[in-house]
Amino acid sequence: MQKSSIKISEMLVKLFFFSSLLLFTQISVGQNKISVHDPVMIRENDTFYLFSTGWGINVWSSTDMKNWTDEKPVFDNPPKWAVEAVDGFKGHIWAPDISFYKGQYYLFYSVSAFGKNTSCIGLATNKTLNANDPDFKWVDHGKIIQSFPNKTNWNAIDPNLIVDEQGQAFLSFGSFWDGIKLVKLSDDAMSVDDDLTEIPTIASRKEDSRLPNPPAIDNNPVDAGGNAIEAPFIFKKDGYYYLFASIDYCCKGVNSNYKMIVGRSKNVNGPYLDRDNKPMNTGGGTILLTGNKDWYGLGHNATVSFDGTDYLIFHAYDASDNGNPKLLIKEINWDKDQWPTVKL
């Protein structure tokens, strides 16, 4: 009887060990299992929702930010207005941005042609993100901003909604051309309340805004030029607005050299300064993260806070998987000078 009890105990210990090992393996690799590009995240009740570039906008859900369930895309069919506005658009939607504003979820998204500023930012809203809720329904509000080749020296993609301390909503956006732009939105945040011919540049790699855009390098799109900055995300914390952006080149797999920069301001309109007090709109920006032997390049981040912990959400090009983009979630720490630090 005693020997049988010992054997059963040994079996239970082994079973617990291997179950724990399996669970640890799932947890440690779970967040890297899914292939995403330009991810953003939000939480409703006990569920996290991830939105990313994809056909109709990719959507994922999770209860632990590690194991993800593929949900139905936002759009079954390409929005009619987008097909009409952007020649060749078939429904592959870029760089969504999710926020909860005035009682509903706002999902800004990008419609474009690669390497051109034939682009638009659209908006869809929903009362809930739970597809099983009877109130679940995406309502598309159409075009919010449009850019035009040889007319606007900015690119209407990569939107991010930020609301200042006074409750005023702004949208940052931009990719290449003159850099990152900021516009004031209407009270319902469904239209622009700004003169689009006068909107400021809040971040650029050009050290002199009066200079023309630098030329494209290597085999990169000629029209886009060489001002390789995009994907703004503004995050409020402890009296500062932190502007995160991505520089250099995404979307090249093993040849991607994407990286993240950051600056901050006491005012949502800027100027945003880096650690060396260099303005981001004249080439400033402190490097936050770069690639390494495991990740060729990384960027297009979102920044979120859950239960007092801040997280950086981004994609990185996996060296162990032919440079395919994967989801990474990293905790943000803040140094004594209130600058963010992240370990890859």
Side-chain angles (χ1 to χ4, degrees):
M1 184 72 175
Q2 186 177 11
K3 288 183 179 179
S4 297
S5 298
I6 292 173
K7 286 182 179 180
I8 291 172
S9 297
E10 289 175 347
M11 290 175 63
L12 289 172
V13 168
K14 288 179 180 179
L15 179 61
F16 175 79
F17 171 78
F18 285 113
S19 297
S20 299
L21 181 61
L22 178 61
L23 177 63
F24 174 78
T25 302
Q26 288 175 337
I27 289 175
S28 64
V29 304
Q31 67 184 39
N32 297 334
K33 282 183 177 179
I34 62 173
S35 180
V36 301
H37 220 266
D38 316 325
V40 290
M41 189 189 298
I42 199 167
R43 182 173 65 182
E44 181 181 27
N45 298 323
D46 296 326
T47 303
F48 301 92
Y49 292 92
L50 186 80
F51 296 81
S52 66
T53 290
W55 293 100
I57 304 178
N58 290 337
V59 185
W60 306 78
S61 65
S62 173
T63 57
D64 59 8
M65 291 198 298
K66 299 179 179 70
N67 300 286
W68 294 92
T69 299
D70 192 5
E71 301 285 348
K72 183 180 177 182
V74 172
F75 294 105
D76 292 325
N77 299 298
K80 183 180 178 181
W81 71 264
V83 173
E84 294 172 351
V86 177
D87 186 39
F89 174 69
K90 303 295 184 184
H92 193 257
I93 300 175
W94 302 351
D97 177 71
I98 186 71
S99 300
F100 188 74
Y101 181 70
K102 293 195 172 182
Q104 58 183 332
Y105 292 93
Y106 277 58
L107 184 71
F108 289 94
Y109 58 90
S110 309
V111 175
S112 186
F114 190 80
K116 298 182 180 296
N117 65 337
T118 308
S119 308
C120 301
I121 292 170
L123 170 65
T125 59
N126 205 329
K127 293 180 180 179
T128 178
L129 300 179
N130 180 0
N132 296 317
D133 191 308
D135 287 332
F136 179 87
K137 180 183 180 181
W138 286 108
V139 177
D140 189 39
H141 299 273
K143 179 175 61 180
I144 305 300
I145 304 174
Q146 184 169 4
S147 56
F148 302 90
N150 305 312
K151 182 177 178 181
T152 54
N153 192 30
W154 40 265
N155 193 13
I157 67 170
D158 295 359
N160 171 239
L161 178 68
I162 178 67
V163 181
D164 71 8
E165 296 295 338
Q166 289 71 46
Q168 175 63 56
F170 293 83
L171 199 70
S172 63
F173 66 92
S175 174
F176 287 73
W177 278 268
D178 193 47
I180 306 303
K181 297 289 186 174
L182 184 74
V183 295
K184 184 172 70 171
L185 297 178
S186 59
D187 288 342
D188 62 5
M190 293 186 182
S191 61
V192 171
D193 187 19
D194 241 342
D195 181 353
L196 289 177
T197 65
E198 300 291 338
I199 54 176
T201 299
I202 59 172
S204 175
R205 303 192 75 184
K206 297 191 295 182
E207 295 199 354
D208 187 338
S209 60
R210 297 168 298 181
L211 295 176
N213 301 335
I217 61 172
D218 299 330
N219 61 343
N220 295 300
V222 174
D223 291 350
N227 190 19
I229 186 170
E230 58 188 11
F233 196 99
I234 300 176
F235 180 67
K236 286 188 297 188
K237 185 177 179 66
D238 297 336
Y240 283 106
Y241 295 89
Y242 290 85
L243 172 58
F244 297 85
S246 297
I247 61 172
D248 294 330
Y249 294 89
C250 76
C251 318
K252 293 176 177 286
V254 297
N255 296 313
S256 300
N257 63 350
Y258 226 22
K259 52 187 70 72
M260 279 181 268
I261 60 173
V262 65
R264 69 187 184 188
S265 174
K266 289 285 189 177
N267 190 311
V268 71
N269 292 291
Y272 289 89
L273 308 178
D274 65 16
R275 276 182 177 267
D276 298 320
N277 288 319
K278 184 172 183 178
M280 292 183 74
N281 62 356
T282 55
T286 297
I287 295 291
L288 180 66
L289 276 182
T290 63
N292 59 21
K293 63 180 180 61
D294 298 315
W295 302 101
Y296 291 119
L298 43 85
H300 206 116
N301 76 280
T303 309
V304 292
S305 185
F306 300 128
D307 302 322
T309 301
D310 301 324
Y311 298 93
L312 197 72
I313 317 296
F314 58 101
H315 72 253
Y317 299 95
D318 190 350
S320 67
D321 188 20
N322 299 313
N324 284 319
K326 301 293 180 62
L327 171 66
L328 288 183
I329 302 171
K330 298 294 180 180
E331 185 174 336
I332 302 174
N333 293 303
W334 301 86
D335 67 17
K336 61 181 180 62
D337 297 316
Q338 293 180 264
W339 284 99
T341 63
V342 180
K343 291 184 179 179
L344 187 57

